[in-house]
Amino acid sequence: MTIFWSQNYNGSQNAIAEHILGLGVKIAPKERLSIQPIRREWRHRENGSGIKKAGKGGKREIEGTAAEETVVEVEDAEKSVGDFSEAIVRLVKINQEQVAAKEDYVTWKRFLKSPPLGPDLQRMEKLWSGALEILTNGERDWKQRLPQDLVDEDQGLHGLKHVQEIMSERANRGGDESFIEVARPFLLVITHPALLDCLTVDIYVGDLYNFISGSGGTRAVPFFQSLGNNLLKQRLASPGSSSQILEETLAAMATALREVLRRTQKALFHENILALVDTIHQISSSFDLSRSPVAIHTVVMRVAELQRMIRRAHGLLERDTNISDENALESRHEVTSTYPRDIQLPGDRHDNDRRDITEISILPTEDEIRSERIEFLPSTSIDQPHFLDGVERLLDTHFRLLRHDIFGELKSYLGQLLKAHQSNPDSTRGIGLYSGSIRAYVQSKASVKYLDFTKNRGLEVQISFLLDHQLQKKSPSERRRWWEESGRLEEGSLLCFLSFEGAGSSLLFLTVSQKNTDPKNRHGLASGGKVATITATLASEHDESQWESLVKMSFPRDSRNFIVEFPTVLLATFVPVLENLQQMQKISRLPFETWIVPKFDTGKTLKNAEPRIPPPVYARVAGFKFDLKAILTDPNVSLTLRPGSDNQIMLQKLQQFTSLDRAQCEALIVALTCEFALIQGPPGTGKSYLGVQIMRVLIDNKLGPIVVVCFTNHALDQFLEHLIAVGIEKVVRIGSHSSSDKLEGKNLRLISKNETKTGSERHIVGKSLAEMEEQSRFIKSKLKVLSNLTKRNWTGFNAHLGRRYPQIHSQFSNLDSEGFTLVGNLEPFDLWTTGNGENLENLDESLGSLNAILPMAKQDIYRLALADREILLSHWENEVYDDMIRRTFDDIQKHSRINHQLRDIYDEVDRRVLETADVIGVTTSGLARRISVLRHVNAKVVICEEAGEVLEAHLLSALIPSVEHLIQIGDHQQLRPQINDFSLSLESQQGRYYQLDRSQFERLSAGEHYQAPFPVSQLNIQRRMRPQISALIRNTLYERLVDHDNVKNLPDVVGIRGNLFWYDHRNHEDGPSSEKTQKSKSNTWEVNLTHALVKHIVRQGVYQSKEIAVLTPYVLQLQKLRFTMRKDFEIVLGERDQEQLIKDGIVDETTESANKDTKHALQKKAINNFQGEEAKIVIVSLVRSNKENKVGFLKTTNRINVLLSRAQHGMYLIGNSETYSNVPMWSQVLGMLRFNDSLGEPFSLCCPRHKGTEMLVSNAEDFSILSPEGGYDLTIAAIDVCQNATRTPCTRRFHALSAASGSFNRVVMSVQNSAVRPAAIAILRSPTFCSLVAISKKNSAAI
């Protein structure tokens, strides 16, 4: 608690203290009240009163003796306390524990204030043991101060000298065992989580490790080698014993060595580094891993990591210097005919063709785009050639394939564009192109209008371009609406600025940073005129060449410029993943490599091997067991699970005392007791439910924070909502793309706002913001100089001439010889450039040479001929340009470094929040974006939901360094990961070599010809579909699938005869779109029939909007369904469907919404985006119907499986059976449907109150005739069996007594048959009908 007040100070602090106590301020026994005068420049406002000046002085502390709670009346703080001079007094309640922590730190810091006085092991032990105590039990402020003080030599501290002392002690007392006891606290300090995980102090920790390493490891390696020899001797002396000091010291040494090699790459090449790692390996190998402590398991993992780092560094160096491409290939396998192209190792195709993926620029270079040579794309199969092995090969392969999937077609398209424009400049004007999976829009007459720099947003550029003719015709408000609904130029989307000048060209990648659609903004997209403006930023902010290109493009030039927009390429969704793969490759890190990366083998060993997966490292501690009380149905029962115990007995108990079925119990045991677990959940088997139960056990056993990772935001939201529903509240959701109301208060950004910063952090934030503000001003001024450079005015040259050419600068003074200021609109320099006002005849002849011009200019600048002035101006322009470019870029980089330090503070605050969570929810791309934070959270468990949909590259990136337990839950027989490039997909002939869209889950569970399938726990009891529906996937894919009893008596669908039916038709799909960019498919006839069927089902009045779903494989069909049906329904599209519509360039410019009172919200989705969801009734529009029997998307069993397994009560498919019958799985499905009479042409409708009457409909028009209101036709009611006592027409609306007058016209229109018209009119005239329908007087008179 802090109280401020301003008074006249004319007394002692004792008087202040006495008055404070008189105000009723209570001081608890462990608190002190500190009276601290504040610096004069500080300001504070309390209750609206301003406080200005402050005096300086000492402080007085009053120790508390009372036992009452502390009560502070803030308003009393402004009472008079005597005649004080102008001062501010700050009252601070201080907890004595905090005081003690400070005193402990001050005591410890005294060690640093004096240099080492010689070898003294006792003093060393006190120094480092004291530091360890502070890091372990001290206050957060002092933990952060400790590394700063260790490396700070400007304040008279000698921390680094003490570090040097203990590291040099090895030579003097290498054989002294007591040295291990001294080295242990030192190693525990430098590897303490408070140092390695705290992002606030990372810069100081980096400085510390740079010192520890010495030049190329010359200080660290000998120290560790000497210590390792001591540890080895001690271990060999008592091989069977267990020493905690030895184990902890060894683990800390291995971790410290890893940090040295990670932070100082040159240490990897120290001549003794291999011997050192071998020593550590020899010590760890002497332990029995099955019974060894966790510390030794840590050492084993560290050794493997260190060996890979060293091998990779030396291996790459050797290949770069000694091994040719041909020899590298000959050392592996011969090229087989199955390889789709000639193998050429990376290295010389273009300037971005590197063997080491860590050196590859993620964004393509211009040289790369122009290259016509085939790119090096390795196969995912390990029996195919590659120049790397193991972890390095896996990371290399997925990095290259993922990058090609994103940029492959983009590079091809831009390359063609560059060539096309060179031959025909008009070929790129205003064209929207669809190149395979890449949509591109080209805007002509682009220009860089303005460069700006702000403290928060950094460097930004405004780019204007010519609008398309159609947009030019629109009004500003119409333009605004179009830009907002088109999905074009959204923030984060990729732009390519193309510039052609003469025979040359250049390109620059940018991303949209601000999209302004306000018509009033002159620099936006929707203002009047033919030009629009977008604000962007450099895609590669640290690339100096890109920065220089941007500045050049801002100068007026005789060039043709274009902007190419790639609306589907969002760097934020994949760049973090690629960067994380590069970082993992750099340090050769991959958890669970034993299971993820099997070594190459002939196949015999691996096929016959049954892997034994050990428990997670944290569960290998003696006596560890999982308490299962969180999932038990009987609170009086106690049940624990010990890894390695008898699973059969545990299985029986779990079935008895939990809500899980037998397969779920088996999967639960595997998930908890295996460090790497795969759980397959066929549709409806409750894999998400099982995932929640696993989470409950893990959290109840204090194993949080647990990282839950999903590929999509929707899947993540669903799973986190399930956790909250069972009472798990400490959930933190990373990312801003959640659409869940329940998760609004769980967002990391919101929670972190309430987290306090330490004093050190507040100081760094304040200092950084001030420095960034200052740097922004510097950069702005330099940008102004650059913008004025082409104008050749005094503003652009003044500072440069004053600094480089003072003798010339003085000649442009605006003071005359007598000291009077010259008046006028132009500077003397501006007049001199043109010779304005001078007698040109008096000028010297042209010297022609810069070397001759400069000496003359220093003597008399006005004697130079105009031609020489032009030479001199051009020279100065180049000097100013080069100087400003360099200095401005340096300032921008400095600003970036300060901003990075500032982000580290906020990241550290986020990290502290995440550490307190039980669950951290994040998407795969979100995890990669926040990896700098998550790698320091020390989460031991990662659970991946819908793992079958996650690209392996994304999953690899999600394996944070601290993970000890990975559980993947999914189904590889449902949807695969989505990729852009079909040539990399399993579904294409060429793509079978790459198999990029095969998840790690599928790769491991299906196995390879050289690798046995990994053990998978499969769930087998489904609780979703009625048996008729589940049979379609049971008889084709899941032989073991069993129907739960609760699905055997599901109610029949109301209004339709039969719960499963394929309406078979021969109406062909729509022809190719007139828009060349459109590659999706549609079938208008199916759209109309689907619309009619949906209206019929909705009008039964039984089903809620969320219980009906319409599925289709094509987004164009989805959009046509949306347009047709929204007159009657409110259409609900999923996030991924909206994105797919934008990706395919399907923009609906008509936004007419339904205005009917009967409007319902209806789900409508593409099949690819409906996995994991369900609906009571599913209607499927299959679309494809053609003579060639081309099926398209629905030829793969994965998509067919998802399509057939979403419905609970009823499913109705509309499609051409002949088209689909040539696909094996469809053929089986059609056979089952025929056998059960569930395939044919007419739909059989019925009225739920008169089921004996059948209505057969064959097209959309039949519904309006036979079932205008969801029942059956009035004609039938008049002449058939459906005539109740009142002879009212039988419709669902009328049964519900909710008819509207609007129904009258439809009823009248349906009785056109002359044979039944008299009876129908009689019914219409009946009083009962008139009262039910509430016919207006006008309509009654008409009858």
Side-chain angles (χ1 to χ4, degrees):
M1 174 69 69
T2 301
I3 306 175
F4 294 87
W5 80 84
S6 177
Q7 300 292 346
N8 291 322
Y9 179 74
N10 194 19
S12 67
Q13 290 188 1
N14 287 333
I16 301 173
E18 290 172 4
H19 185 78
I20 290 168
L21 295 176
L23 293 176
V25 177
K26 306 297 182 182
I27 307 173
K30 291 187 177 181
E31 292 177 338
R32 294 182 180 181
L33 192 62
S34 176
I35 307 170
Q36 301 176 10
I38 310 302
R39 295 172 62 93
R40 291 184 184 276
E41 60 267 23
W42 286 14
R43 300 289 184 267
H44 180 77
R45 287 189 175 273
E46 184 67 55
N47 298 330
S49 63
I51 298 177
K52 298 184 178 179
K53 294 183 179 179
K56 295 183 179 180
K59 71 176 183 178
R60 160 92 188 272
E61 293 183 353
I62 309 169
E63 294 191 19
T65 55
E68 304 95 332
E69 292 184 3
T70 299
V71 179
V72 179
E73 299 289 342
V74 175
E75 58 269 20
D76 287 345
E78 297 189 5
K79 291 182 179 179
S80 175
V81 291
D83 296 328
F84 292 89
S85 63
E86 290 185 348
I88 297 178
V89 181
R90 182 173 66 178
L91 282 65
V92 186
K93 282 180 12 181
I94 304 175
N95 187 294
Q96 280 194 307
E97 292 179 356
Q98 296 174 335
V99 173
K102 179 179 179 180
E103 291 175 350
D104 289 343
Y105 187 82
V106 171
T107 300
W108 174 82
K109 190 174 176 180
R110 293 195 185 103
F111 282 108
L112 305 184
K113 292 184 177 180
S114 59
L117 301 177
D120 186 345
L121 293 181
Q122 186 177 5
R123 182 173 49 78
M124 291 184 200
E125 197 277 334
K126 286 184 179 180
L127 169 65
W128 297 110
S129 293
L132 182 61
E133 175 64 22
I134 291 170
L135 293 176
T136 304
N137 299 314
E139 294 288 329
R140 184 180 296 150
D141 276 289
W142 308 119
K143 290 181 181 181
Q144 294 182 0
R145 284 287 300 275
L146 190 143
Q148 299 179 47
D149 287 340
L150 272 177
V151 299
D152 188 357
E153 296 182 298
D154 296 332
Q155 302 292 329
L157 301 178
H158 305 277
L160 294 180
K161 292 179 181 178
H162 286 281
V163 172
Q164 185 174 10
E165 178 193 35
I166 193 170
M167 296 189 72
S168 62
E169 183 65 19
R170 70 190 188 282
N172 300 327
R173 306 192 182 191
D176 193 345
E177 292 184 3
S178 63
F179 176 63
I180 296 176
E181 297 180 2
V182 177
R184 172 179 168 273
F186 167 69
L187 293 172
L188 291 177
V189 165
I190 65 175
T191 60
H192 199 283
L195 263 62
L196 298 186
D197 290 336
C198 181
L199 297 170
T200 299
V201 300
D202 188 64
I203 186 172
Y204 306 108
V205 175
D207 292 341
L208 177 61
Y209 268 97
N210 285 335
F211 181 82
I212 289 172
S213 172
S215 177
T218 53
R219 183 177 292 116
V221 175
F223 167 71
F224 289 139
Q225 185 68 63
S226 179
L227 179 60
N229 291 334
N230 281 338
L231 293 172
L232 181 59
K233 290 177 183 178
Q234 190 179 73
R235 178 61 182 167
L236 294 177
S238 53
S241 64
S242 176
S243 169
Q244 183 178 355
I245 292 179
L246 184 148
E247 295 155 3
E248 288 183 351
T249 306
L250 183 65
M253 184 173 74
T255 300
L257 179 58
R258 182 201 62 175
E259 287 298 310
V260 167
L261 299 185
R262 183 175 72 85
R263 295 173 184 268
T264 55
Q265 298 288 311
K266 290 183 179 179
L268 287 163
F269 301 99
H270 191 282
E271 59 182 357
N272 293 324
I273 190 67
L274 286 172
L276 170 58
V277 175
D278 287 342
T279 300
I280 300 174
H281 176 65
Q282 186 178 355
I283 301 172
S284 63
S285 299
S286 67
F287 289 85
D288 182 0
L289 287 180
S290 63
R291 292 178 295 184
S292 59
V294 173
I296 298 303
H297 288 279
T298 301
V299 174
V300 172
M301 290 187 292
R302 291 283 182 268
V303 167
E305 195 173 336
L306 292 169
Q307 288 173 337
R308 283 196 303 270
M309 291 173 70
I310 297 168
R311 184 178 67 246
R312 177 179 176 274
H314 286 262
L316 287 178
L317 179 63
E318 183 180 10
R319 277 191 295 273
D320 286 342
T321 56
N322 297 325
I323 299 181
S324 65
D325 293 354
E326 293 77 7
N327 292 336
L329 284 176
E330 288 174 1
S331 65
R332 288 301 309 270
H333 315 292
E334 292 184 3
V335 179
T336 65
S337 59
T338 59
Y339 203 90
R341 62 189 64 171
D342 294 334
I343 299 177
Q344 293 181 342
L345 294 183
D348 60 356
R349 292 173 177 83
H350 46 76
D351 61 0
N352 201 29
D353 186 36
R354 308 298 178 90
R355 293 191 190 182
D356 185 357
I357 62 170
T358 67
E359 299 176 359
I360 294 177
S361 167
I362 290 177
L363 286 170
T365 64
E366 182 175 354
D367 190 41
E368 180 180 1
I369 290 170
R370 290 184 176 278
S371 175
E372 297 181 0
R373 296 181 61 182
I374 298 174
E375 188 172 356
F376 173 69
L377 292 178
S379 171
T380 54
S381 176
I382 66 170
D383 64 351
Q384 294 295 326
H386 198 289
F387 61 93
L388 293 173
D389 286 314
V391 171
E392 292 83 359
R393 171 178 179 155
L394 185 72
L395 296 174
D396 178 275
T397 297
H398 284 283
F399 174 88
R400 293 181 190 276
L401 291 180
L402 179 59
R403 183 175 180 272
H404 181 77
D405 181 56
I406 298 160
F407 291 119
E409 293 190 2
L410 179 149
K411 291 189 297 182
S412 176
Y413 169 65
L414 287 178
Q416 294 173 11
L417 206 61
L418 291 173
K419 293 179 183 177
H421 192 275
Q422 288 175 348
S423 58
N424 180 9
D426 294 329
S427 62
T428 56
R429 186 165 296 158
I431 301 176
L433 294 176
Y434 191 107
S435 177
S437 62
I438 292 292
R439 176 165 289 276
Y441 296 94
V442 182
Q443 305 292 346
S444 62
K445 295 187 177 180
S447 63
V448 175
K449 288 297 183 184
Y450 183 67
L451 290 176
D452 191 22
F453 195 95
T454 60
K455 178 181 69 176
N456 296 325
R457 304 184 68 91
L459 181 69
E460 288 186 318
V461 55
Q462 288 185 350
I463 300 175
S464 64
F465 56 88
L466 182 67
L467 284 171
D468 296 336
H469 293 299
Q470 292 181 346
L471 280 176
Q472 291 181 23
K473 298 176 183 178
K474 294 180 182 291
S475 67
S477 60
E478 289 174 331
R479 290 186 190 181
R480 178 176 193 167
R481 178 172 151 190
W482 187 91
W483 281 112
E484 290 177 349
E485 295 179 356
S486 66
R488 295 276 306 279
L489 291 175
E490 293 294 337
E491 290 186 10
S493 57
L494 185 67
L495 305 176
C496 182
F497 191 97
L498 286 173
S499 181
F500 300 92
E501 187 172 6
S505 64
S506 60
L507 60 83
L508 192 64
F509 284 111
L510 308 110
T511 57
V512 177
S513 58
Q514 293 185 67
K515 178 181 180 179
N516 193 309
T517 58
D518 186 355
K520 297 178 181 179
N521 190 317
R522 293 188 301 110
H523 304 294
L525 294 170
S527 59
K530 299 180 179 181
V531 175
T533 303
I534 190 69
T535 304
T537 187
L538 280 172
S540 301
E541 60 179 7
H542 300 297
D543 189 332
E544 186 171 4
S545 63
Q546 295 280 292
W547 148 248
E548 186 172 356
S549 296
L550 179 61
V551 174
K552 286 182 178 179
M553 290 175 181
S554 67
F555 294 158
R557 295 184 303 162
D558 184 18
S559 61
R560 302 182 306 278
N561 303 325
F562 302 86
I563 276 288
V564 185
E565 176 199 357
F566 300 98
T568 62
V569 181
L570 302 175
L571 299 185
T573 61
F574 59 83
V575 167
V577 175
L578 291 172
E579 288 178 339
N580 201 25
L581 291 175
Q582 287 179 316
Q583 184 62 28
M584 293 172 72
Q585 183 76 305
K586 186 176 294 184
I587 61 175
S588 298
R589 178 190 64 81
L590 184 65
F592 312 114
E593 63 171 294
T594 302
W595 317 118
I596 296 175
V597 192
K599 292 181 174 59
F600 182 81
D601 194 89
T602 58
K604 297 178 182 179
T605 304
L606 289 172
K607 271 189 171 294
N608 298 329
E610 180 66 30
R612 178 186 174 277
I613 300 95
V617 172
Y618 66 78
R620 299 176 196 174
V621 178
F624 180 89
K625 55 187 177 182
F626 291 100
D627 191 336
L628 303 178
K629 64 183 179 182
I631 61 172
L632 300 180
T633 54
D634 187 345
N636 298 318
V637 174
S638 177
L639 193 61
T640 60
L641 173 63
R642 191 187 304 274
S645 60
D646 189 339
N647 289 347
Q648 291 303 316
I649 297 176
M650 178 56 62
L651 192 59
Q652 295 174 5
K653 292 182 178 180
L654 283 173
Q655 284 185 268
Q656 182 180 357
F657 297 115
T658 70
S659 59
L660 303 174
D661 60 47
R662 182 177 181 83
Q664 289 173 330
C665 291
E666 291 175 345
L668 176 79
I669 293 173
V670 171
L672 293 177
T673 60
C674 296
E675 67 173 6
F676 192 87
L678 304 181
I679 299 174
Q680 183 187 8
T685 55
K687 58 181 179 290
S688 293
Y689 177 78
L690 175 62
V692 171
Q693 305 311 306
I694 294 171
M695 290 287 294
R696 293 177 70 185
V697 173
L698 293 170
I699 291 170
D700 194 54
N701 284 270
K702 310 300 181 186
L703 290 169
I706 298 166
V707 177
V708 175
V709 61
C710 301
F711 182 71
T712 66
N713 284 288
H714 179 68
L716 179 62
D717 287 347
Q718 278 191 325
F719 191 74
L720 296 183
E721 286 178 351
H722 292 328
L723 297 179
I724 293 173
V726 298
I728 299 173
E729 288 293 336
K730 294 183 72 175
V731 175
V732 178
R733 191 353 176 137
I734 297 178
S736 58
H737 292 87
S738 173
S739 57
S740 169
D741 295 336
K742 296 179 182 178
L743 296 174
E744 282 186 359
K746 307 291 186 182
N747 189 272
L748 174 62
R749 183 177 299 176
L750 180 66
I751 300 171
S752 293
K753 288 181 179 178
N754 299 320
E755 180 73 10
T756 58
K757 300 181 183 69
T758 66
S760 175
E761 289 168 347
R762 290 193 296 271
H763 172 72
I764 294 174
V765 168
K767 180 182 177 183
S768 298
L769 290 174
E771 289 178 348
M772 288 169 64
E773 184 70 44
E774 184 180 31
Q775 286 299 121
S776 298
R777 289 197 299 270
F778 291 160
I779 295 169
K780 275 179 173 290
S781 65
K782 291 181 176 65
L783 290 176
K784 185 176 181 180
V785 170
L786 285 169
S787 66
N788 287 322
L789 196 56
T790 56
K791 300 175 184 177
R792 288 191 168 183
N793 57 30
W794 183 236
T795 304
F797 293 94
N798 183 8
H800 178 73
L801 294 180
R803 184 173 60 257
R804 294 282 299 272
Y805 304 99
Q807 292 172 303
I808 297 177
H809 181 270
S810 62
Q811 298 180 55
F812 292 123
S813 172
N814 59 359
L815 298 177
D816 63 15
S817 58
E818 298 181 1
F820 291 98
T821 302
L822 300 174
V823 295
N825 295 327
L826 294 177
E827 292 282 348
F829 174 88
D830 301 329
L831 296 171
W832 172 83
T833 58
T834 59
N836 191 7
E838 297 182 48
N839 186 352
L840 301 181
E841 295 180 356
N842 294 332
L843 300 181
D844 292 345
E845 293 184 3
S846 175
L847 300 174
S849 168
L850 181 63
N851 292 332
I853 294 172
L854 278 173
M856 178 59 71
K858 292 177 182 180
Q859 296 178 18
D860 188 352
I861 194 74
Y862 291 98
R863 290 177 54 188
L864 294 179
L866 292 181
D868 291 345
R869 297 183 188 188
E870 179 63 30
I871 293 173
L872 195 56
L873 281 170
S874 298
H875 173 66
W876 287 341
E877 276 182 349
N878 291 332
E879 284 187 331
V880 173
Y881 175 80
D882 292 339
D883 184 53
M884 282 292 111
I885 285 289
R886 178 184 53 79
R887 291 171 58 199
T888 308
F889 183 75
D890 288 344
D891 284 345
I892 291 173
Q893 293 304 296
K894 183 177 180 180
H895 179 278
S896 179
R897 288 192 297 271
I898 299 170
N899 190 35
H900 180 76
Q901 187 176 17
L902 185 64
R903 287 200 307 267
D904 278 347
I905 300 297
Y906 293 112
D907 284 349
E908 169 61 19
V909 173
D910 287 346
R911 186 192 69 82
R912 295 202 291 263
V913 170
L914 294 174
E915 275 193 333
T916 65
D918 286 333
V919 181
I920 300 171
V922 64
T923 61
T924 53
S925 58
L927 187 149
R929 266 196 305 275
R930 300 307 304 273
I931 190 66
S932 62
V933 178
L934 289 168
R935 68 161 54 103
H936 296 289
V937 172
N938 198 31
K940 291 180 170 60
V941 186
V942 173
I943 293 183
C944 181
E945 260 280 309
E946 296 292 358
E949 277 195 281
V950 179
L951 282 166
E952 180 151 14
H954 283 248
L955 187 64
L956 294 173
S957 175
L959 298 180
I960 54 180
S962 61
V963 64
E964 298 175 4
H965 193 179
L966 176 64
I967 303 170
Q968 297 188 50
I969 305 174
D971 183 8
H972 59 282
Q973 292 180 284
Q974 295 188 56
L975 292 181
R976 288 192 173 107
Q978 294 186 23
I979 62 175
N980 299 310
D981 193 338
F982 185 66
S983 67
L984 300 178
S985 169
L986 274 164
E987 297 178 21
S988 71
Q989 185 67 33
Q990 182 181 2
R992 293 176 186 174
Y993 184 84
Y994 305 110
Q995 302 184 7
L996 179 61
D997 58 346
R998 183 178 61 165
S999 65
Q1000 184 184 106
F1001 189 100
E1002 179 178 1
R1003 176 172 68 84
L1004 295 178
S1005 54
E1008 302 280 4
H1009 66 274
Y1010 51 81
Q1011 176 188 350
F1014 190 88
V1016 179
S1017 300
Q1018 188 184 72
L1019 311 182
N1020 60 3
I1021 298 180
Q1022 73 89 15
R1023 297 170 172 82
R1024 174 188 296 165
M1025 302 160 278
R1026 64 183 332 120
Q1028 298 98 307
I1029 298 174
S1030 65
L1032 300 179
I1033 60 173
R1034 177 169 46 252
N1035 297 333
T1036 52
L1037 296 174
Y1038 305 102
E1039 295 180 0
R1040 296 172 52 200
L1041 192 65
V1042 177
D1043 297 321
H1044 193 272
D1045 290 341
N1046 65 5
V1047 300
K1048 295 179 180 178
N1049 297 301
L1050 291 173
D1052 294 330
V1053 177
V1054 177
I1056 302 180
R1057 291 183 178 279
N1059 301 307
L1060 174 63
F1061 191 77
W1062 177 309
Y1063 182 90
D1064 194 14
H1065 70 87
R1066 300 295 178 267
N1067 298 280
H1068 283 183
E1069 63 200 55
D1070 299 338
S1073 170
S1074 59
E1075 186 181 353
K1076 294 180 181 180
T1077 64
Q1078 187 53 258
K1079 293 192 175 184
S1080 192
K1081 304 292 181 181
S1082 64
N1083 189 313
T1084 302
W1085 191 89
E1086 288 189 11
V1087 169
N1088 295 329
L1089 184 62
T1090 302
H1091 181 202
L1093 180 59
V1094 171
K1095 282 199 297 184
H1096 171 77
I1097 294 174
V1098 169
R1099 284 171 174 167
Q1100 305 309 308
V1102 176
Y1103 302 103
Q1104 297 181 11
S1105 58
K1106 294 182 179 179
E1107 297 173 339
I1108 304 173
V1110 177
L1111 301 183
T1112 182
Y1114 292 96
V1115 291
L1116 183 57
Q1117 183 78 345
L1118 181 72
Q1119 179 64 359
K1120 288 192 174 183
L1121 284 164
R1122 179 190 188 189
F1123 175 75
T1124 302
M1125 300 177 70
R1126 66 174 160 195
K1127 296 179 181 179
D1128 299 286
F1129 306 100
E1130 178 184 349
I1131 306 302
V1132 180
L1133 292 183
E1135 176 187 349
R1136 293 178 71 182
D1137 290 307
Q1138 294 277 18
E1139 292 174 355
Q1140 192 66 42
L1141 287 171
I1142 293 173
K1143 178 178 179 179
D1144 285 5
I1146 300 174
V1147 181
D1148 186 4
E1149 298 196 32
T1150 60
T1151 56
E1152 176 189 358
S1153 60
N1155 294 315
K1156 294 180 176 289
D1157 295 334
T1158 58
K1159 182 176 70 173
H1160 296 264
L1162 185 71
Q1163 293 187 82
K1164 192 172 277 84
K1165 298 200 175 188
I1167 293 165
N1168 276 6
N1169 300 330
F1170 204 63
Q1171 177 164 318
E1173 301 191 43
E1174 60 188 19
K1176 284 188 176 179
I1177 297 176
V1178 172
I1179 300 169
V1180 182
S1181 172
L1182 293 169
V1183 179
R1184 302 308 297 270
S1185 178
N1186 51 71
K1187 295 179 181 179
E1188 298 80 14
N1189 291 336
K1190 292 183 178 179
V1191 173
F1193 288 122
L1194 288 180
K1195 65 184 178 182
T1196 62
T1197 59
N1198 302 73
R1199 291 192 179 94
I1200 301 172
N1201 180 19
V1202 173
L1203 182 147
L1204 296 177
S1205 59
R1206 302 302 101 193
Q1208 297 171 296
H1209 296 182
M1211 179 172 65
Y1212 304 96
L1213 300 98
I1214 303 172
N1216 184 338
S1217 63
E1218 287 185 359
T1219 298
Y1220 286 86
S1221 60
N1222 64 336
V1223 177
M1225 184 170 174
W1226 278 124
S1227 179
Q1228 290 179 271
V1229 169
L1230 290 168
M1232 286 183 277
L1233 293 174
R1234 288 193 185 96
F1235 182 80
N1236 294 311
D1237 293 327
S1238 297
L1239 186 147
E1241 182 179 348
F1243 272 118
S1244 179
L1245 312 182
C1246 68
C1247 173
R1249 290 186 57 177
H1250 305 89
K1251 297 182 179 180
T1253 302
E1254 183 179 34
M1255 294 176 288
L1256 301 179
V1257 294
S1258 297
N1259 52 54
E1261 291 74 19
D1262 289 347
F1263 280 90
S1264 61
I1265 297 173
L1266 298 176
S1267 176
E1269 293 297 328
Y1272 50 90
D1273 178 36
L1274 178 64
T1275 305
I1276 300 174
I1279 63 175
D1280 209 337
V1281 295
C1282 185
Q1283 298 179 14
N1284 56 26
T1286 61
R1287 294 184 57 78
T1288 55
C1290 181
T1291 71
R1292 285 294 298 165
R1293 286 172 69 93
F1294 301 152
H1295 280 310
L1297 299 180
S1298 60
S1301 59
S1303 304
F1304 176 80
N1305 292 331
R1306 285 192 290 274
V1307 174
V1308 174
M1309 288 174 64
S1310 67
V1311 290
Q1312 302 300 318
N1313 190 324
S1314 59
V1316 298
R1317 181 167 179 162
I1321 292 177
I1323 295 174
L1324 289 170
R1325 287 174 173 171
S1326 68
T1328 305
F1329 179 83
C1330 291
S1331 64
L1332 289 174
V1333 183
I1335 301 177
S1336 65
K1337 292 181 180 180
K1338 178 179 179 181
N1339 287 339
S1340 299
I1343 293 178

